[in-house]
């Protein structure tokens, strides 16, 4: 994960500091809160919360990749390959979970 600053026409990047978790994996989703907190979802099912270019919180969220992240009014919503949609507080505490595998596609007749 790289964090960029822009100063005029100059861009500077600096690598994030992994204080926890594994930096040797792919990150497949990203969301940013209004306060600038960065959340990334990993191929291994974790959500990393970044502050000041460092991981300050980590949670194992899904069984498999975290394909979707969205900051909403109630916190952070995540969607994984496991078919679950979960809502977390911005402190990454679980709030509610929906199992989309048991939902109708709307195409059933």
């Amino acid at each position: 994960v790289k964090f960029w600053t822009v100063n005029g026409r100059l861009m500077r990047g600096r690598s994030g500091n992994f204080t926890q978790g594994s930096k040797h994996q792919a990150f497949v989703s990203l969301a940013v809160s209004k306060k600038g907190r960065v959340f990334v979802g990993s191929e291994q099912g974790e959500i990393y919360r970044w502050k000041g270019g460092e991981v300050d919180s980590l949670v194992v969220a899904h069984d498999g990749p975290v394909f979707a992240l969205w900051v909403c009014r109630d916190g952070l919503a995540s969607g994984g390959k496991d078919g679950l949609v979960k809502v977390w507080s911005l402190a990454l505490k679980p709030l509610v979970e929906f199992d989309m595998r048991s939902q109708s596609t709307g195409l059933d007749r």
Side-chain angles (χ1 to χ4, degrees):
V1 174
K2 204 160 207 175
F3 292 88
W4 296 88
T5 56
V6 179
N7 187 0
R9 293 176 34 187
L10 180 65
M11 288 182 66
R12 286 215 166 106
R14 98 179 152 89
S15 295
N17 185 14
F18 284 84
T19 55
Q20 44 186 309
S22 171
K23 65 180 177 180
H24 299 290
Q25 62 178 310
F27 294 98
V28 294
S29 56
L30 176 131
V32 181
S33 74
K34 288 182 181 180
K35 293 185 178 183
R37 285 287 177 99
V38 176
F39 299 88
V40 295
S42 79
E43 69 178 351
Q44 295 177 1
E46 300 146 336
I47 298 174
Y48 289 75
R49 185 180 72 179
W50 296 79
K51 182 179 180 183
E54 292 189 352
V55 174
D56 77 338
S57 190
L58 164 70
V59 65
V60 176
H62 293 274
D63 184 20
V66 180
F67 284 135
L69 289 174
W70 179 58
V71 176
C72 56
R73 180 187 67 214
D74 297 321
L76 177 74
S78 66
K81 184 178 180 181
D82 57 7
L84 301 176
V85 173
K86 298 181 179 184
V87 180
W88 309 83
S89 71
L90 293 181
L92 295 181
K93 303 294 182 209
L95 299 176
V96 67
E97 177 178 307
F98 303 95
D99 188 344
M100 302 310 290
R101 297 169 296 190
S102 64
Q103 302 302 312
S104 169
T105 62
L107 301 175
D108 300 335
R109 295 193 183 243

